[in-house]
């Protein structure tokens, strides 16, 4: 395939529009001695919702982990709001307004649902404000209110997923990164989660999304990057991809 | 070899290291003195100290090393009877004389090991020497016995209770506690209920000082007597006020009133800053006995040293040491001391007879 | 029967002492899940440095306590940053080996520095007996019990009620999620370790003023502390108290009515029996599911 | 089955015939995984019985149930992370090559043959699941999606007669899920007798299942052929949401 | 697998020549102790490496074996060829009984409850004077091999312990590379998956545990005859600490690891006698340094190097946290 030659350079897109809030350039990341990303560049503009799509093991999650500081970049730059955040520790990056809801949920199993949610707002020091946000989370996910005193480790898979998303929202980030948010959710619940994403986005929060359910992903995102074996191979408006199943298949097939 | 090597196995780490170090100090002093006086066989004595941790396996390791690598001509050690029991066959196999200055378990000299010599008292000998004096002086009628739960503690309790019982003293309580125990209130509650007029304690410095202190903290004013290295500055300092008036039967006390002892105490204090206790003296004596035997043997042949050891007549700070056919020392003095104003005061002294 | 009140009192006092000396381990082993074999040595260092500051620096007991606390907090912090940190997240075995090495080093290093002799730490108050009816205690013991209870309650509140406490629990359950919530996990680890170390040392100094300090006490303390922590259920402070009291009272009763010689067996028999019927300890719940 | 007052599954009955692929679906927290746990002995049901091949297996130990031929996968990714893909699958052959302790220490020809067969079979299964390229990679190097495939491979290695999969396609993209569904279909009748699958990926469930059971609040809502389920109003309301609309 | 087998065979063959090549009794003594520890470490490794649970009570089996052999020898005058196998069997029975209780527990609870058993046995040995002679211990354990034929020199003991080590390594090797061994690894790696593929976690763990107890019992039996004295300290934690250091330093979950660990630690401890008082302080430091630089032990390090040389992807498996 010659996808690379077709794809416009990401920075070209960025220049056309207003300046990006998040700009990643030439990002190289490795697990131990295994390289996982080989020079990834992407931009996200303020208020945009962007999806990362690609086959299994392409490196989508790795990109998010590098941005949120869980992984150190070998080389490359990550600029957020005009400041470099590459290689800052994760907690500083959260403080800078980026929330990352990781793959596999990672709830705190021996804490109650309520405690899990409350800790999502760890950096917020005002008690009333935290209470307000907890109320908001329960409003978005009534199921969690029912289970507020249950230990998170005993929740069902889908319930844990809701909890992870609710927790990520608690820091009221400027950039929300979701890794496969619909994983393990029923179709109806997945719709509801994407409604939440839309409404959060509607309040001006920028969203970067990794999603396997392409239909849903392209439904919320305005634009998608295609990731393949540690590289970005294309960047397309959602509408274009949705209209062309063959192209999509070409991008997604492993 | 241009030195005569003597190997010393003692616990230098672990919970009895405290006492093991004293033995080593005494031993070093003895070697220093002998070397200052020209050494033996025209050579200097070299003391090689190994840590046996008071465990059989480690003590055997240490002995193998001393014998094979350092080629020592005589062994001294070990501290705990169990460790000594384990190294005795090794010494016998290599046909090397082994002197212990400490291990008191009676059966050690009963094993028919011709290379083994014990330059120390056994509990039986101490009990025999002092039971009567104690019973009379302290006017004992009912006694409680408390001992540390090891061979030494059990031996002490058994021997003293046998001899005191023979004198018509009633036993009202016998208890053992584990080495390293720190709280004795429960034990002392039982002691209080048993209403003895004297309590016998077999415990070393650490356990003993805490125990004696707590006897007073419980508000008990029973007379306390026992065995252990109590006639030392460390013990008295740790025990504080509570040490006043207690009695200890010891093979050695720095306050023993002989010229030899006075020079020994003086030298020891000059070198280490404290007065010697029972273990310091034990190390000192054992090394002197070894050194003199080698000198008399006229060479480093083990058989000759063994033979000359059997003929020992060593003038120690605390009397004269001789050995029986089985290698048990006798003839030296043992003392009963009372702690008064922070000083151990000798109130009775008697030579230890050969066991019969 | 008239012995019973005294036995009970002895048991309760000892129980608080056990809970107190296990407190640091409750944090480091119970919560942080580092099987810390150097716990007893931290306790020992508390006693020995207590002896040093009261004897050589001439401080009174309470100023000494503060100095020791500060010193041991620094030690704990450094141990975590330079040693534990390096093997974090590699399973429990490297931690076990590391703390065994540390404990060997600390005991023998201390032996080299101060020698094997027991050391006396001057107490905060006089030592004479105090009678409540038939029950004898000492002022020093009552003081230690009071301080012990205060420390335990304080630690409990810290973990359950404060932001730092919540951050600790989150970090130990899932460090990745914790750092994504903005928690500085490196600091939380180090702070917990330092706190555990300080608590161990404080109890070491406090109890050394009642007994005595010695370089080789660590092994026994570690053993008893592990028993207490497991009895109570990992990482629960209420559990540590219950475990400590249970152990103290059971030992007092066994020693009182049966025999002193086998007293140490009680703790271990209790552990075996309790885990036989409650495999997660007395005060702990399971939240794992398939 | 209740957990501290919450009833997770109540009065639920269903059955599976040989040769069948049954889909079990339902909203989050409806009790699907709990149901799996009860069938395979990880939880003990407070009421009711489970029968498998004519035997009552209620309250048996999980491994005993597995030995009867009922093997499951887990919702939360569960593999042996430090072993390679091949070793994972080889370990899955445990039941086929069980042997006495004596044979372990003094292996005879039979044991060696069993070992050889297990190795061949393991390689074949890795191939079938499309992980051939990853054969000797330690499992911890795999991405989420690959891990899901490996789990299925391990379960298959146990040569079950009834295979139960809990969200096996979670983490696969639409395209990969399609391929995976095709593989599943070929298994039934060949390697396994029947398949019970829990999945939220509707395209997959609808395309592979012969019959679908819908669970809601721990009770059976409806049961039927895929087409019937898609048309059911209750299902649409409780589960499918807008997707049905 | 074959590599590991060949290394082990070469090692045993080389070791068999030692008593003929070396006459220094001290070196032979060290070699005997190293092999004794190697058996112990291998037996612990079966539990730690293949059950995946950390037993701190392995001295229970060492001690049981040692006391069994010592009692049979001192009370009934039995020779070594009877007492040592019986020591293994009695320990195995103890292993079964203790395993029945402890193997239902996991993680820290298992760690502490096994430790508790060892301590209970130690305290019993220390107080049951009628049988064990309490703290006085059992001295004068005989050294006859068959009937009246006594082992009188170190070379003889060396060959005996070498034989025991060979048995231990053979049994471990067979177990580890069998279906049962794989099952044990499955339980270690993921209990749930193991159960779902038909592995009985309890039964499998029990096999490894009892085998470990048996081998430790053999080692204990040998110890009793070789040192000729057995006291309650055989149950003490000091032995346990040495074993742990050997297993982890060599690399758990491999067969060569514990063997290498035993040899290195024995030699290191003796070599450090050179530095006198500093000995154990330095030993502690060295243990710490090794953990920091070789977190997966010697074998882990070698495996890592091999992987790197093969230019294969590597990553620290353990970094992967499963929550
Ligand atoms: N913890 C890890 N250790 C080593 N390698 C890893 C790790 N996590 C991921 N990888 C490797 O990095 C590459 C990218 O993985 P990543 O998880 O980013 O993929 P992904 O696109 O998110 O896939 P999926 O859709 O399956 O989640 C893969 O080849 C994977 O094998
Ligand atoms: N151990 C437990 N303690 C308390 N509640 C539990 C426990 N296990 C399960 N539950 C509850 O039982 C309900 C059913 O859970 P289950 O995991 O079976 O749901 P599920 O149908 O598999 O859902 P999902 O599709 O989200 O995986 C959930 O609400 C869950 O919170
Ligand atoms: Mg991913
Ligand atoms: Mg589920």
């Amino acid at each position: 395939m010659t996808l690379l030659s077709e794809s416009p350079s990401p920075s070209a897109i960025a220049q056309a529009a207003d300046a990006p809030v998040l700009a990643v350039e030439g990002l190289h990341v490795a697990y131990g001695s295994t390289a996982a990303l080989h020079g990834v560049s992407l931009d996200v503009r303020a208020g945009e919702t962007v999806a990362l799509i690609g086959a299994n093991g392409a490196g989508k999650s790795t990109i998010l982990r590098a941005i949120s500081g869980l992984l150190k970049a070998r080389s490359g730059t990550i600029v957020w709001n005009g400041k470099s955040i590459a290689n800052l520790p994760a907690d500083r990056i959260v403080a800078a307004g980026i929330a990352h809801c990781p793959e596999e949920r990672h709830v705190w199993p021996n804490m109650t649902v309520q405690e899990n949610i409350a800790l999502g707002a760890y950096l917020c020091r005002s008690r009333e404000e935290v209470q307000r946000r907890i109320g908001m989370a329960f409003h978005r996910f009534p199921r969690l209110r029912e289970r507020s005193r249950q230990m998170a480790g005993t929740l069902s898979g889908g319930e844990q997923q809701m909890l992870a998303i609710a927790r990520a929202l608690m820091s009221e980030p400027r950039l929300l990164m979701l890794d496969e948010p619909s994983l393990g959710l029923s179709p109806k619940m997945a719709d509801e989660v994407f409604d939440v994403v839309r409404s959060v986005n509607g309040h001006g929060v920028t969203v970067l999304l990794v999603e396997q359910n392409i239909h849903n992903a392209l439904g919320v995102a305005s634009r998608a990057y295609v990731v393949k074996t540690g590289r970005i191979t294309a960047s397309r408006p959602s509408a274009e991809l949705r209209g062309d199943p063959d192209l999509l298949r070409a991008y997604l097939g492993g | 070899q241009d030195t005569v090597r003597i190997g010393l196995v003692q616990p230098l780490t672990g919970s009895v290291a405290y006492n093991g170090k004293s033995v080593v100090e005494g031993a070093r002093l003895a070697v220093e003195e002998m070397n200052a006086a020209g050494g033996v066989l025209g050579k200097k004595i070299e003391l090689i100290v190994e840590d046996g941790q008071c465990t059989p396996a480690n003590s055997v390791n240490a002995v193998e090393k001393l014998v094979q690598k350092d080629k020592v001509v005589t062994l001294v050690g070990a501290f705990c009877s169990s460790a000594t029991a384990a190294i005795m066959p090794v010494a016998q196999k290599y046909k090397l004389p082994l002197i212990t200055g400490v291990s008191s378990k009676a059966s050690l000299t009963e094993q028919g090991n011709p290379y083994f010599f014990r330059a120390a008292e056994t509990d039986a000998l101490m009990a025999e020497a002092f039971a009567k004096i104690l019973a009379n002086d302290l006017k004992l009628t009912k006694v409680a016995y408390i001992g540390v739960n090891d061979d030494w503690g059990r031996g002490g309790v058994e021997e003293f209770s046998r001899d005191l019982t023979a004198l018509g003293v009633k036993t009202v309580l016998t208890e053992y506690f584990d080495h390293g125990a720190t709280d004795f209130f429960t034990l002392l509650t039982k002691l209080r209920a048993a209403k003895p007029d004297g309590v016998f304690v077999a415990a070393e410095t650490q356990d003993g000082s805490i125990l004696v202190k707590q006897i007073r903290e419980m508000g008990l004013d029973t007379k306390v007597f026992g065995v252990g290295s109590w006639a030392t500055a460390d013990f008295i300092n740790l025990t504080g006020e509570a040490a006043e008036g207690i009695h200890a039967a010891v093979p050695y006390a720095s306050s023993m009133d002989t010229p030899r002892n006075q020079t020994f105490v003086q030298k020891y204090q000059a070198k280490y800053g404290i007065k010697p206790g029972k273990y310091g003296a034990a190390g000192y004596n054992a090394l002197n006995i070894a050194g003199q035997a080698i000198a008399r043997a006229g060479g480093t042949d083990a058989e000759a040293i063994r033979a000359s050891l059997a003929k020992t007549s060593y003038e120690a700070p605390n009397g004269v040491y001789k050995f029986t056919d089985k290698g048990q020392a006798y003839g030296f003095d043992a003392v009963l001391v009372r702690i008064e104003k922070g000083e151990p005061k000798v109130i009775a002294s008697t030579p230890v007879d050969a066991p019969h | 029967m008239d012995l019973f009140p005294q036995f009970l009192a002895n048991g309760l006092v000892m129980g608080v002492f056990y809970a107190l000396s296990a407190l640091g381990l409750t944090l480091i082993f119970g919560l942080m899940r580092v099987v810390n074999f150097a716990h007893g040595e931290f306790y020992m260092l508390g006693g020995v440095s207590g002896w040093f500051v009261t004897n050589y620096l001439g401080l009174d007991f309470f100023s000494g306590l503060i100095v020791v606390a500060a010193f041991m907090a620094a030690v704990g912090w450094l141990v975590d940053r330079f040693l534990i940190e390096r093997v974090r997240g590699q399973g429990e075995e490297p931690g076990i080996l590391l703390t065994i090495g540390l404990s060997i080093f600390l005991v023998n290093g201390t032996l080299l520095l101060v020698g094997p002799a027991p050391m006396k730490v001057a107490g905060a108050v006089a030592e004479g007996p105090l009678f409540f009816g038939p029950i004898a205690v000492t002022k020093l013991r009552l003081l230690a019990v009071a301080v012990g209870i205060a420390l335990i309650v304080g630690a409990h509140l810290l973990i359950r009620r404060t932001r730092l406490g919540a951050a600790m629990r989150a970090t130990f359950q899932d460090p990745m999620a914790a750092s994504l919530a903005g928690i500085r996990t490196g600091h939380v680890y180090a702070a917990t370790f330092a706190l555990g170390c300080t608590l161990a040392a404080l109890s070491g100094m406090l109890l050394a003023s009642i007994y005595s300090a010695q370089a080789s006490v660590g092994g026994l303390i570690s053993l008893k502390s592990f028993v207490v922590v497991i009895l109570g259920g990992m990482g629960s402070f209420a559990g540590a108290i219950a475990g400590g009291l249970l152990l103290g009272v059971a030992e007092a009763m066994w020693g009182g009515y049966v025999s002193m010689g086998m007293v140490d067996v009680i703790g271990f028999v209790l552990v075996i029996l309790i885990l036989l019927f409650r495999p997660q300890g007395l005060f702990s719940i399971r939240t794992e599911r398939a | 089955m209740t957990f501290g007052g919450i009833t997770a599954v109540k009065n639920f009955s269903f059955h599976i015939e040989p040769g069948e692929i049954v889909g079990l679906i339902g909203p989050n927290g409806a009790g699907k995984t709990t149901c799996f746990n009860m069938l395979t002995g990880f939880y003990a049901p407070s009421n009711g019985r489970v029968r498998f091949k004519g035997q009552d297996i209620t309250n048996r130990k999980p491994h005993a149930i597995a030995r009867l031929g009922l093997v499951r996968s887990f919702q939360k990714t569960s593999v042996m992370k430090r072993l390679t893909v091949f070793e994972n699958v080889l370990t899955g052959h445990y039941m086929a090559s069980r042997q006495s302790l004596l044979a372990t220490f003094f292996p005879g020809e039979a044991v060696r043959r069993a070992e050889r067969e297990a190795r061949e079979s393991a390689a074949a299964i890795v191939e079938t699941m499309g992980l051939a390229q990853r054969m000797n990679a330690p499992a911890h190097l795999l991405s989420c999606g690959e891990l899901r495939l490996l789990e299925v491979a391990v379960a298959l290695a146990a040569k079950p007669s009834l295979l139960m999969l809990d969200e096996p396609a979670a983490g696969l993209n639409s395209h990969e899920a399609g391929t995976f569904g095709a593989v599943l279909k070929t298994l039934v009748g060949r390697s396994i007798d029947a398949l019970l699958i829990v999945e939220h990926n509707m395209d997959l469930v609808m395309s592979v299942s012969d019959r679908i059971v819908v669970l809601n609040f721990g009770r059976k809502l409806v049961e039927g052929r895929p087409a019937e389920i898609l048309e059911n109003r209750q299902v649409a309301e409780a589960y499918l949401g807008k997707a049905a609309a | 697998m074959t590599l590991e087998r060949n290394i082990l065979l070469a090692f045993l063959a080389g070791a068999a020549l030692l008593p003929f090549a070396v006459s220094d009794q001290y070196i032979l003594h060290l070699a005997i102790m190293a092999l004794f520890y190697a058996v112990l470490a291998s037996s612990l490794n079966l539990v730690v490496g293949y059950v995946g649970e950390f037993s701190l009570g392995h001295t229970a089996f060492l001690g049981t074996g040692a006391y069994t052999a010592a009692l049979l020898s001192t009370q009934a005058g039995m020779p070594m060829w009877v007492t040592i196998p019986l020591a293994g069997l009695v320990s195995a029975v103890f292993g079964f009984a203790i395993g029945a209780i402890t193997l239902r527990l996991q993680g820290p609870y298992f760690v502490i409850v096994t430790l508790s058993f060892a301590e209970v046995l130690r305290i019993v040995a220390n107080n049951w004077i009628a049988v064990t002679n309490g703290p006085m211990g059992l001295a004068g354990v005989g050294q006859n091999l068959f009937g009246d034929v006594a082992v009188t020199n170190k070379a003889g003991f060396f060959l005996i312990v070498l034989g025991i080590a060979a048995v231990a390594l053979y049994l471990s090797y067979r177990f580890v590379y069998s279906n049962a061994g794989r099952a044990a690894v499955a339980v270690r790696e993921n209990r749930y998956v193991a159960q779902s593929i038909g592995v009985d976690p309890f039964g499998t763990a029990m096999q490894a545990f009892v085998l470990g107890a048996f081998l430790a019992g053999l080692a204990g039996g040998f110890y009793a005859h070789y040192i000729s004295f057995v006291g309650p300290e055989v149950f003490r934690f000091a032995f346990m600490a040495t074993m742990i250091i050997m297993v982890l330093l060599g690399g758990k979950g491999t067969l060569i690891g514990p063997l290498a660990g035993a040899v290195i630690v024995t030699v290191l401890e003796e070599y450090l006698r050179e530095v006198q008082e500093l000995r154990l302080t330095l030993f502690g430091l060295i243990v710490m340094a090794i953990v920091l630089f070789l977190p997966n032990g010697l074998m882990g390090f070698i495996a890592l190097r091999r992987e790197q040389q093969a230019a294969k992807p590597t990553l620290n498996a353990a970094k992967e946290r499963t929550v």
Side-chain angles (χ1 to χ4, degrees), chain B residues 12-15 17-18 21 149 175-176 178 180-183 185-187 189-190 192-193 205-206 210 213-214 216-219 234 237-238 240, chain C residues 3 6-7 10 14 108 111 116-120 127 129 131 134 136-138 141 210-212 214 216-217 220 252 255-256 258-261 264:
Chain B
L12 304 179
T13 54
S15 57
Y18 171 47
K21 286 244 160 112
N149 192 8
E175 287 284 3
Y176 297 100
D178 277 329
T182 48
D183 202 280
F185 266 46
T186 298
L187 201 166
T189 305
K190 288 166 95 171
R192 186 172 67 183
T205 311
Q206 187 200 354
I210 298 175
K213 214 165 80 173
Q214 289 182 8
R216 301 298 179 229
E217 284 176 7
M218 276 286 278
D234 268 338
N237 170 36
L238 278 168
Chain C
L3 297 184
Q6 179 76 46
F7 284 150
N10 297 342
M14 278 317 288
N108 293 288
L111 270 175
M119 287 153 270
K120 183 173 174 168
E127 293 175 19
F131 289 96
V137 283
T138 66
R141 286 175 176 242
I210 295 177
Y211 309 122
S212 61
Q214 208 196 10
S216 56
V217 293
L220 202 66
V258 188
S259 117
M260 284 303 295
D264 282 343

Side-chain angles (χ1 to χ4, degrees), chain A residues 3-23:
Chain A
L3 287 171
L4 251 181
S5 55
E6 302 170 21
S7 62
S9 132
S11 43
I13 297 179
Q15 273 168 3
D18 33 343
V21 270
L22 177 75

Side-chain angles (χ1 to χ4, degrees), chain B residues 17-340:
Chain B
Y18 171 47
N19 301 321
K21 286 244 160 112
S22 303
V23 176
V24 174
E25 285 176 354
R28 288 232 155 89
L29 180 62
V31 169
E32 206 168 89
E33 280 180 20
M34 287 188 283
N35 284 341
V40 293
L41 311 172
K43 296 176 186 171
K44 296 260 185 248
I45 295 176
E46 186 180 349
L47 182 68
I48 302 176
V49 183
E50 288 297 345
D51 183 8
Q53 299 176 358
C54 245
T55 64
N58 278 305
S59 301
V60 169
N61 285 355
V63 168
E64 293 284 354
K65 186 240 168 195
L66 289 170
V67 175
Q68 291 290 335
K69 194 153 167 238
D70 300 321
K71 310 259 186 283
V72 299
V73 300
T74 296
L75 288 164
V76 180
F79 191 96
C80 301
S81 294
S82 56
T84 307
I87 63 173
M88 278 169 59
V90 185
Q92 186 168 16
K93 194 174 66 195
Y94 290 124
K95 300 201 179 355
L96 272 191
L98 167 66
I99 306 166
T100 181
V102 181
S103 305
S104 63
K105 182 179 162 192
S107 69
L108 293 180
T109 44
E110 302 299 319
Q111 291 173 9
N113 183 337
Y115 294 89
F116 179 66
F117 296 87
R118 168 169 32 215
E121 79 291 0
T122 64
D123 301 310
L125 298 178
M126 292 300 275
E128 204 167 293
F130 293 114
K132 196 162 201 164
I133 304 179
L134 279 167
N136 292 339
D137 272 21
L138 300 182
K139 301 191 182 57
L140 299 174
T141 56
K142 290 190 298 181
V143 170
Y145 298 87
I146 301 175
V148 62
N149 192 8
D150 62 17
D151 45 2
W152 175 77
R154 282 187 177 268
V157 167
E158 277 162 22
E159 299 297 342
F160 270 83
S161 65
R162 176 166 39 203
D163 286 10
L164 283 173
T165 309
L167 294 167
V169 178
K170 272 213 318 233
T171 301
V172 291
L173 180 77
T174 305
E175 287 284 3
Y176 297 100
F177 63 87
D178 277 329
H179 175 69
T182 48
D183 202 280
F184 299 98
F185 266 46
T186 298
L187 201 166
L188 295 176
T189 305
K190 288 166 95 171
L191 182 73
R192 186 172 67 183
K195 299 199 176 58
D197 46 29
V199 50
F200 171 86
V201 176
E204 288 296 359
T205 311
Q206 187 200 354
D207 305 328
S209 64
I210 298 175
L211 176 56
V212 171
K213 214 165 80 173
Q214 289 182 8
I215 289 178
R216 301 298 179 229
E217 284 176 7
M218 276 286 278
L220 299 174
D221 49 10
T222 337
K223 292 167 200 133
V224 178
F225 62 101
V227 293
S229 47
W230 295 8
T232 62
D234 268 338
F235 179 87
I236 294 167
N237 170 36
L238 278 168
T239 320
E241 282 288 289
E244 281 302 298
I246 66 174
H247 290 73
V250 285
Y252 174 84
S254 57
S255 49
M256 283 169 104
D257 191 18
T258 65
R260 251 174 207 290
N261 185 42
Q262 276 159 7
T263 19
F264 171 57
V265 172
Q266 201 187 349
K267 280 192 183 161
Y268 196 98
Q269 200 165 13
K271 190 163 158 74
Y272 301 113
I274 50 162
K275 289 184 178 160
K278 138 183 183 186
Y279 292 118
Y284 179 80
N285 289 339
L287 258 289
N288 272 322
I289 291 173
Q292 294 182 4
I294 295 171
R296 281 199 308 278
T300 54
D301 174 53
E303 274 313 315
I305 299 176
R306 191 186 71 79
S308 90
L309 264 176
K311 294 196 209 82
T312 291
S313 173
Y314 156 64
E315 290 192 37
N318 53 336
V320 179
Y321 280 76
K322 295 190 163 75
F323 286 114
T324 65
D325 294 346
K326 289 176 175 167
Q328 169 62 43
Y330 68 97
F332 54 96
D333 291 331
V335 289
L336 186 66
V337 299
R338 177 163 56 225
I339 314 283
E340 278 175 15

Side-chain angles (χ1 to χ4, degrees), chain D residues 214-226:
Chain D
V214 184
L215 203 60
N216 195 18
F217 292 113
R219 294 162 189 269
K220 179 150 61 174
L221 193 64
V222 286
E223 179 175 349
R225 285 182 296 106

